[in-house]
Amino acid sequence: MEIISENRSHGGRQLVVKHASNSTSTDMTFSIFLPPQVENWPCPVLWYLSGLTCTHANVTEKGEYRAACAEHGVIFVAPDTSPRGEGVPDDAEGTYDFGLGAGFYVDATEEPWAANYRMWSYVTDELPTLIAAEFPADMDRQSITGHSMGGHGALTVALNHPDRFRSVSAFAPIVAPSQVPWGQKALAGYLGDDRAAWRRHDTVALIDDGASVDEILVDVGKSDPFIEKELRPELLEESCKAAGIPLTLRRHAGYDHSYYFISTFMADHIAWHAERLKRG
Amino acid sequence: MEIISENRSHGGRQLVVKHASNSTSTDMTFSIFLPPQVENWPCPVLWYLSGLTCTHANVTEKGEYRAACAEHGVIFVAPDTSPRGEGVPDDAEGTYDFGLGAGFYVDATEEPWAANYRMWSYVTDELPTLIAAEFPADMDRQSITGHSMGGHGALTVALNHPDRFRSVSAFAPIVAPSQVPWGQKALAGYLGDDRAAWRRHDTVALIDDGASVDEILVDVGKSDPFIEKELRPELLEESCKAAGIPLTLRRHAGYDHSYYFISTFMADHIAWHAERLKRG
């Protein structure tokens, strides 16, 4: 584990860390914000999974999460969105929605992706183990959120690990990848054409299949250019209603898909998670 | 005037604007955040002048100012730090501290800089006139702040316009350019070797010469790598003490020169300015 940078901010420490990953067989870089409270006791962890084209850096620079994390005593971990580096295959057509920066938080089974594109194992197993070992994190108190492709990641990770997370939220998530172009391309590419294998990586399918969480918070912008074709929050609304999962879905007039939107509601999400992380 | 981008954020609107500048004979780009209150009445303006190597984009992405500006109803304007574009001369040696990204908020008199490097006229005259004409700004209520080279800009602009600004603050400012390497290089390069011409662009010299403001707020990080050689806040402390100008100089342990530092104290500065902008 190599600390790439460390900066004091909002009373805590913002670190960027590189380490050799067994999951992806590459170096992986993530950021972690340690609030001032870690000097006194282990702190709960909020995971943030990023969207297409992003690295750890986008939310670290533009997410405006540090003030709220420092206030509530929450560690904020932001992994990368795919393996990177020499020898890691990328989409031959160079598109933004598959390959580098677009791991979709699955373990690929198709070639040539299967060797490196193992983001599911990385974010659900390897990185939590590293965080628990190396930082003053209270791993009995974890929550998870994410944006767009990372909202998909947060929701599917939480639904597959109902006992691990106190709460789950998302910003403009892809909720039904099996039913939208971004998701169909990615899941077919990484997992192959057998759609049965897609279901545990599809929030709506998971809920329809009986997976559950206590409640879900989702924010989406009404001026998000991807809302109708890729995000389709109404599908999550229908599945949650049918399954009896309390969903708070807030549609915000004028907001788009950018970090100007995310940063506006970031403090809300952190306060919401912190309330649940503090219970019991 | 061309609006390059507009994003809803924190209830307001973040714009990036390009316009043809008479001062610099180039296109200039700036960002302006309009808080939600502009829908109801003209709002006061807080100017933010950026540091070496920056454009409008650094503070716009990393400054974490929008939440506080929306809370207090303050317009936030962030100009570029130099002219840019084809035909604009740059430092032949390609250094970061002279030429592009390093205008030092002066009107250059030396060749080849004099034609374009007129940032003093741009930020004190042309851009305020544009803001007043095009946006719902209450120009009777203005304050100014900035970072590093932009802290120098904020302090020298305020000291030269004592009736224009309600308040002035700075993050890690260069306070005595005539006495430090960054400033000596820039002032000699843009203004020539006659040091008399430097004095109205040197905060400490201005104060020693009798210029004054009601009070000054300055934050600086104790781990700022430039504090001893380039920033020298103790020189400001001495001049303010001798002149009887109330200076609140806060030295923060562990903080460096980056936006991780600036963003930590940004909300404080905005609240401090807002209190003074609301008076009378």
Side-chain angles (χ1 to χ4, degrees):
Chain A
M1 201 180 88
E2 179 193 353
I3 295 178
I4 301 290
S5 65
E6 175 171 344
N7 299 84
R8 173 130 333 241
S9 195
H10 292 280
R13 289 182 291 148
Q14 179 63 62
L15 274 62
V16 176
V17 179
K18 190 166 83 171
H19 67 112
S21 164
N22 290 325
S23 305
T24 65
S25 303
T26 65
D27 284 345
M28 291 293 287
T29 302
F30 66 91
S31 83
I32 181 167
F33 177 68
L34 301 168
Q37 294 85 345
V38 298
E39 306 302 328
N40 302 320
W41 46 70
C43 288
V45 177
L46 177 61
W47 293 86
Y48 178 91
L49 303 184
S50 296
L52 288 166
T53 76
C54 290
T55 68
H56 70 282
N58 303 68
V59 72
T60 306
E61 296 177 353
K62 303 179 190 178
E64 302 190 15
Y65 58 81
R66 281 175 289 271
C69 284
E71 179 186 345
H72 296 290
V74 172
I75 294 171
F76 190 99
V77 181
D80 203 348
T81 55
S82 78
R84 299 178 195 271
E86 255 185 83
V88 175
D90 190 12
D91 185 18
E93 293 164 23
T95 56
Y96 72 94
D97 55 3
F98 192 73
L100 296 182
F104 265 83
Y105 306 101
V106 299
D107 283 349
T109 52
E110 295 294 294
E111 297 304 335
W113 319 104
N116 304 116
Y117 284 76
R118 296 176 52 78
M119 291 300 293
W120 183 260
S121 292
Y122 179 70
V123 300
T124 66
D125 184 7
E126 183 176 8
L127 189 53
T129 302
L130 182 77
I131 299 295
E134 299 288 344
F135 297 97
D138 178 356
M139 301 304 278
D140 290 333
R141 293 189 291 154
Q142 297 183 62
S143 293
I144 190 164
T145 187
H147 171 234
S148 195
M149 175 183 76
H152 146 75
L155 289 163
T156 55
V157 167
L159 286 160
N160 278 283
H161 300 84
D163 295 331
R164 183 184 296 184
F165 299 96
R166 297 282 185 96
S167 48
V168 57
S169 76
F171 303 87
I174 302 166
V175 301
S178 310
Q179 301 182 52
V180 304
W182 278 346
Q184 289 166 343
K185 177 178 179 180
L187 297 182
Y190 295 130
L191 303 178
D193 291 330
D194 177 8
R195 288 186 167 228
W198 299 10
R199 294 190 72 81
R200 72 182 289 233
H201 294 291
D202 181 304
T203 297
V204 162
L206 278 161
I207 293 172
D208 293 348
D209 290 348
S212 192
V213 290
D214 290 343
E215 56 182 325
I216 298 173
L217 169 64
V218 169
D219 280 313
V220 65
K222 283 186 172 181
S223 296
D224 190 319
F226 304 112
I227 192 166
E228 286 183 18
K229 193 173 164 196
E230 304 285 2
L231 309 181
R232 303 192 63 186
E234 72 281 3
L235 297 177
L236 179 65
E237 216 163 24
E238 290 161 17
S239 282
C240 283
K241 190 175 177 188
I245 297 175
L247 168 68
T248 302
L249 173 60
R250 306 187 296 195
R251 293 177 168 92
H252 300 281
Y255 286 88
D256 60 25
H257 199 66
S258 71
Y259 271 92
Y260 293 110
F261 155 67
I262 300 169
S263 63
T264 299
F265 300 103
M266 180 63 87
D268 270 7
H269 281 240
I270 291 167
W272 185 85
H273 287 292
E275 193 189 321
R276 284 145 186 85
L277 287 165
K278 283 169 188 165
R279 286 181 192 159
Chain B
M1 199 180 89
E2 179 193 352
I3 295 178
I4 301 290
S5 67
E6 175 171 343
N7 298 85
R8 174 133 328 245
S9 194
H10 292 280
R13 290 182 290 148
Q14 179 64 62
L15 274 61
V16 176
V17 179
K18 189 165 83 174
H19 67 113
S21 165
N22 290 325
S23 306
T24 65
S25 303
T26 65
D27 284 346
M28 290 294 288
T29 302
F30 66 91
S31 83
I32 179 167
F33 177 69
L34 301 169
Q37 293 86 343
V38 297
E39 306 302 327
N40 302 320
W41 47 69
C43 289
V45 177
L46 177 61
W47 294 87
Y48 178 92
L49 303 184
S50 295
L52 288 167
T53 77
C54 289
T55 68
H56 71 283
N58 303 67
V59 72
T60 306
E61 296 178 354
K62 303 180 188 176
E64 302 191 15
Y65 58 80
R66 281 175 289 271
C69 284
E71 180 187 345
H72 296 290
V74 172
I75 294 172
F76 190 99
V77 181
D80 203 347
T81 54
S82 79
R84 298 177 195 272
E86 255 184 83
V88 175
D90 191 12
D91 184 20
E93 292 164 23
T95 55
Y96 71 95
D97 55 3
F98 191 73
L100 296 182
F104 265 84
Y105 306 102
V106 300
D107 283 349
T109 51
E110 295 293 295
E111 296 306 335
W113 318 104
N116 303 118
Y117 284 76
R118 297 178 52 79
M119 291 300 294
W120 182 260
S121 292
Y122 180 69
V123 301
T124 66
D125 182 7
E126 184 176 9
L127 189 53
T129 302
L130 183 77
I131 299 295
E134 299 288 343
F135 297 98
D138 179 355
M139 301 304 278
D140 290 334
R141 293 188 291 153
Q142 297 183 62
S143 293
I144 190 164
T145 186
H147 171 234
S148 195
M149 175 184 75
H152 146 74
L155 289 163
T156 54
V157 167
L159 285 160
N160 277 283
H161 299 83
D163 295 331
R164 184 185 296 185
F165 299 97
R166 297 281 186 95
S167 47
V168 56
S169 75
F171 303 88
I174 303 167
V175 301
S178 310
Q179 302 183 52
V180 304
W182 278 345
Q184 289 165 343
K185 177 178 178 181
L187 296 183
Y190 295 129
L191 303 179
D193 290 330
D194 176 8
R195 288 186 167 229
W198 298 11
R199 294 189 72 81
R200 70 181 291 232
H201 295 291
D202 181 305
T203 297
V204 161
L206 277 161
I207 293 172
D208 292 349
D209 289 348
S212 191
V213 290
D214 290 343
E215 55 181 327
I216 299 173
L217 169 65
V218 169
D219 280 313
V220 64
K222 283 187 174 181
S223 296
D224 189 317
F226 305 111
I227 193 166
E228 285 183 19
K229 194 171 161 198
E230 303 286 3
L231 308 181
R232 304 194 62 186
E234 72 282 2
L235 297 178
L236 180 64
E237 216 164 22
E238 290 161 18
S239 282
C240 282
K241 190 175 175 188
I245 297 176
L247 168 68
T248 303
L249 172 60
R250 308 188 295 195
R251 294 177 167 92
H252 301 281
Y255 285 88
D256 60 24
H257 200 66
S258 71
Y259 271 92
Y260 293 110
F261 155 66
I262 300 168
S263 62
T264 298
F265 301 102
M266 180 64 85
D268 269 7
H269 281 241
I270 291 168
W272 185 85
H273 287 291
E275 192 188 322
R276 283 144 185 85
L277 288 165
K278 284 168 189 164
R279 286 180 192 160

